[in-house]
Amino acid sequence: MHVTEHPAAGAPRAGRHQRHRRAGRRTYRRVAAAAALAAAGILAAACSSSPAPDAARSGGPAITISSFAYHPATLTVRPGAHVTVTNTDAVAHTLTSRSGAFDTGLVQPGQSVTIVAPTKDGTYPYYCTVHQYMSGTLVVSG
Ligand SMILES: [Cu+2]
């Protein structure tokens, strides 16, 4: 009689190599580059609400708002010119580019605000966001 004994079938587990892998420890130093991004947001507010005392008298281009109209209705300026917008009405107005190129925000009665003309030649229609029938055109020509 033969008795075959199978040596415990699940047994041979011994040959497992545990490799000690030296995972190179690298220190990832993340230098915060977020500062540059934060600065970008500031640019939007740059020139919108600085009162420009008598820039018109000193010869710079100017637009006057009176009787719910822009004077002159069409103004031609150099690229990047600073344009003084003065509101002589008794209510607030804006001078807002239809393409988003510039915007005075609300100009209060008696107040002057300076906008910066686009640097690219072109015709830039604008309007008043409060009274949308008010419209004018800024022409940029270098
Ligand atoms: Cu208006």
Side-chain angles (χ1 to χ4, degrees):
M1 283 278 265
H2 245 69
V3 179
T4 313
E5 276 194 327
H6 297 284
R13 274 184 180 175
R16 245 190 179 183
H17 299 284
Q18 280 232 349
R19 277 184 204 161
H20 292 276
R21 212 189 244 182
R22 263 187 289 162
R25 270 193 216 164
R26 282 181 194 169
T27 314
Y28 291 98
R29 256 199 251 166
R30 288 198 179 172
V31 180
L37 292 174
I42 300 171
L43 292 174
C47 237
S48 58
S49 58
S50 48
D54 291 339
R57 236 171 44 187
S58 67
I63 298 169
T64 299
I65 306 173
S66 67
S67 303
F68 294 78
Y70 301 102
H71 305 279
T74 299
L75 177 67
T76 300
V77 299
R78 295 286 186 179
H82 286 231
V83 181
T84 303
V85 179
T86 302
N87 179 14
T88 65
D89 273 347
V91 300
H93 295 289
T94 77
L95 189 155
T96 305
S97 163
R98 293 188 187 276
S99 65
F102 47 83
D103 186 2
T104 61
L106 276 178
V107 185
Q108 297 302 328
Q111 190 188 7
S112 289
V113 167
T114 300
I115 58 167
V116 178
T119 54
K120 199 179 161 190
D121 282 14
T123 298
Y124 297 85
Y126 61 80
Y127 72 116
C128 173
T129 58
V130 184
H131 317 95
Q132 300 192 4
Y133 55 87
M134 294 174 58
S135 67
T137 304
L138 186 68
V139 178
V140 173
S141 176

